[in-house]
Amino acid sequence: MQQLEVFNQGLMSFLQLGSTPAHAVQSMQKQLLDAGFKQLSEVDAWQLQAGQGYFVIRGGKSIIAWRQGLQAVEDAGIRMLGAHTDSPCLKVKPHAEIVRHGCLQLGVEVYGGALLNPWFDRDLSLAGQVQYWDQQGHLREALLDLRKPLAVIPSLAIHLNREANKGMEVNPQKHLPVVLCQAHEDDQPGIAFRKLLANWLQEEGHEVAEVVDYDLCFYDIQPPALTGLKQEYLASARLDNLLSCYVGLEALLAIDRPQEATSLLVCNDHEEVGSASAIGAEGPFLESVLRRMAGDEVAYQRMISHSLMISCDNAHALHPNFPDRHDENHGPRMNAGPVIKVNANQRYATTSETSALFAGFCKAAEVPCQRFVVRSDMGCGSTIGPITSTRLGVRVVDVGVPQWAMHSIRETVGSQDPWYLARALVAFMSVEKV
């Protein structure tokens, strides 16, 4: 139980720090450096040594980390874990300022398939990447995270919409502009917000001459928490899918001595919007790293044939108020172990072989596991699993921790399930042959 408590405290700290994909990657970078991993640059030639840990970051929001095995990759293959760093959110538009009816508001764009109603009446803060010119005329980038309540999207009072509880359609253009502050007569659209950003960055020690651009999003400042009468649950923002990033990183770091096979973790941005980007799973990031590790085409193809990827992305737990939304034989329960996700139409990349392999890793780790299949009359979401399998030709199994309220501003998982998944992943990374 003590190990579980320490693990969950670490998970909650990571969730709190990972307000944006860039901040999550920054947190992972620090943990990897502290563990003795070396950061590589894609512009340099690599000389990889057996037993050493390495990582490379692209775009500040996607990361690949691995520990080089003792055997050549073409002979032993690679034990790969995949997750994604992004979550549905509200991103600030480039020309965001709206001054109306005494309020300074910021227009936002919905990123991913967000549940919108839970965003109302939350204490929102702001975080992300900011590009600016410094005093010497150089273009710089800074990570900004204000970590304090500074905005709100107020609900319309029930008195002014008596039908609100019968269902309210949220129009993102009209209903989601965020209230930042009271407006002043000298607030000029296109200037006021960038001035605020410059001031905030200067307070953190950056020499800002002019803010040029940004990639910023709002987030709920409510911290993660263990909940339930016996703390059976863990509630937080961004459980989908920072939970899998943390679990995968912990599994990689747990392999603290050289193994025969290379172990690798890839965490991509842009999964929630289809993964089609230079740093998304459909892009070339992972393949380019793997090809550099292999050295030539024949070695690369041999390496792929010996490899297996576990794609980790949370699954839909059986909701006690909506049990009819699940297939009656495939409703995963909280704290009953990781879920193997199966779909006949290849929305998940799991095969009978890879499913059996993952069940074996769970058995070796003395961890229970479950299986999920969506109702036959409902559509199915997808993951980086089918994308990676298609792009690389590698075997993949899609798994995840069961959760409630996926894509809400606050989600819930069982407090034991992340620990179960981590143990199964350590068993996978420790196996000599798959």
Side-chain angles (χ1 to χ4, degrees):
M1 287 300 296
Q2 186 176 10
Q3 282 184 305
L4 174 62
E5 292 172 4
V6 171
F7 183 89
N8 280 337
Q9 289 301 319
L11 171 58
M12 289 191 291
S13 176
F14 180 74
L15 291 165
Q16 181 79 339
L17 290 171
S19 49
T20 72
H23 287 88
V25 167
Q26 182 187 57
S27 179
M28 297 173 76
Q29 177 189 37
K30 183 179 185 305
Q31 286 183 257
L32 288 163
L33 290 172
D34 289 345
F37 281 62
K38 295 180 180 179
Q39 184 168 0
L40 302 175
S41 170
E42 291 188 88
V43 303
D44 296 331
W46 297 351
Q47 298 294 327
L48 305 178
Q49 298 179 347
Q52 177 61 48
Y54 300 97
F55 68 96
V56 59
I57 296 170
R58 181 180 284 193
K61 298 188 287 187
S62 292
I63 184 170
I64 298 174
W66 70 96
R67 185 176 292 282
Q68 199 73 20
L70 299 177
Q71 283 194 34
V73 290
E74 61 265 34
D75 294 324
I78 299 182
R79 312 292 177 261
M80 289 187 272
L81 303 176
H84 64 89
T85 58
D86 59 324
S87 304
C89 64
L90 302 182
K91 290 203 172 190
V92 183
K93 291 181 177 180
H95 300 290
E97 297 92 332
I98 304 168
V99 178
R100 59 185 179 188
H101 306 294
C103 295
L104 174 60
Q105 296 179 267
L106 296 181
V108 294
E109 188 175 7
V110 179
Y111 176 87
L115 275 172
L116 296 179
N117 278 298
W119 279 83
F120 290 87
D121 307 317
R122 298 276 183 164
D123 295 334
L124 302 178
S125 192
L126 190 68
Q129 297 164 302
V130 181
Q131 278 69 36
Y132 67 92
W133 298 114
D134 67 13
Q135 301 295 339
Q136 289 73 44
H138 300 123
L139 185 63
R140 305 290 188 188
E141 179 180 288
L143 283 185
L144 179 70
D145 191 347
L146 297 176
R147 298 196 172 279
K148 58 184 178 182
L150 55 81
V152 67
I153 307 172
S155 294
L156 182 64
I158 189 71
H159 313 77
L160 304 178
N161 181 12
R162 295 291 184 180
E163 303 299 310
N165 289 329
K166 294 183 180 179
M168 175 185 171
E169 179 183 353
V170 178
N171 183 309
Q173 181 69 22
K174 296 195 301 183
H175 300 151
L176 292 184
V178 177
V179 177
L180 194 61
C181 64
Q182 296 279 275
H184 300 286
E185 292 182 1
D186 59 351
D187 287 335
Q188 301 177 50
I191 298 177
F193 182 55
R194 279 178 166 77
K195 282 186 175 180
L196 282 173
L197 291 178
N199 291 338
W200 288 327
L201 290 174
Q202 287 165 354
E203 289 173 2
E204 295 185 357
H206 299 281
E207 296 182 356
V208 181
E210 179 186 354
V211 170
V212 183
D213 214 330
Y214 50 77
D215 181 357
L216 296 168
C217 68
F218 284 101
Y219 69 94
D220 183 10
I221 66 164
Q222 184 178 1
L226 293 170
T227 184
L229 285 176
K230 299 178 181 179
Q231 296 194 327
E232 305 100 318
Y233 307 119
L234 192 157
S236 176
R238 303 177 295 279
L239 286 171
D240 174 25
N241 190 31
L242 289 190
L243 181 153
S244 297
C245 294
Y246 179 79
V247 170
L249 181 61
E250 289 298 300
L252 179 64
L253 295 179
I255 308 299
D256 56 0
R257 62 180 184 273
Q259 304 285 310
E260 292 301 309
T262 297
S263 298
L264 178 147
L265 170 68
V266 53
C267 298
N268 292 109
D269 192 18
H270 297 147
E271 190 274 346
E272 297 293 359
V273 292
S275 295
S277 72
I279 61 175
E282 196 174 327
F285 186 28
L286 177 57
E287 183 179 357
S288 68
V289 170
L290 294 177
R291 287 188 178 277
R292 293 178 74 161
M293 293 167 67
D296 62 54
E297 184 62 24
V298 172
Y300 174 75
Q301 296 298 339
R302 291 184 61 209
M303 175 188 73
I304 290 296
S305 69
H306 286 301
S307 299
L308 174 69
M309 169 176 271
I310 298 180
S311 167
C312 297
D313 203 347
N314 294 354
H316 299 292
L318 181 68
H319 195 306
N321 296 340
F322 301 93
D324 60 328
R325 295 292 175 155
H326 279 79
D327 181 280
E328 59 187 9
N329 292 328
H330 300 92
R333 297 180 181 274
M334 296 284 204
N335 294 312
V339 178
I340 301 171
K341 301 191 284 187
V342 179
N343 183 257
N345 296 302
Q346 291 300 294
R347 301 295 288 169
Y348 303 130
T350 304
T351 66
S352 58
E353 178 200 10
T354 59
S355 174
L357 286 169
F358 184 77
F361 305 142
C362 289
K363 184 177 181 180
E366 299 181 340
V367 166
C369 70
Q370 311 176 73
R371 285 172 172 80
F372 171 77
V373 179
V374 74
R375 282 178 57 108
S376 299
D377 55 359
M378 293 176 65
C380 183
S382 192
T383 70
I384 67 168
I387 296 170
T388 306
S389 180
T390 300
R391 183 169 183 92
L392 303 182
V394 70
R395 293 174 294 167
V396 175
V397 57
D398 271 296
V399 308
V401 165
Q403 74 164 83
W404 290 326
M406 189 175 290
H407 289 192
S408 177
I409 197 170
R410 193 163 181 86
E411 303 163 321
T412 304
V413 297
S415 56
Q416 295 183 57
D417 286 324
W419 173 238
Y420 282 148
L421 178 59
R423 288 166 56 187
L425 296 183
V426 170
F428 161 59
M429 288 187 160
S430 303
V431 71
E432 290 188 9
K433 186 177 180 180
V434 291

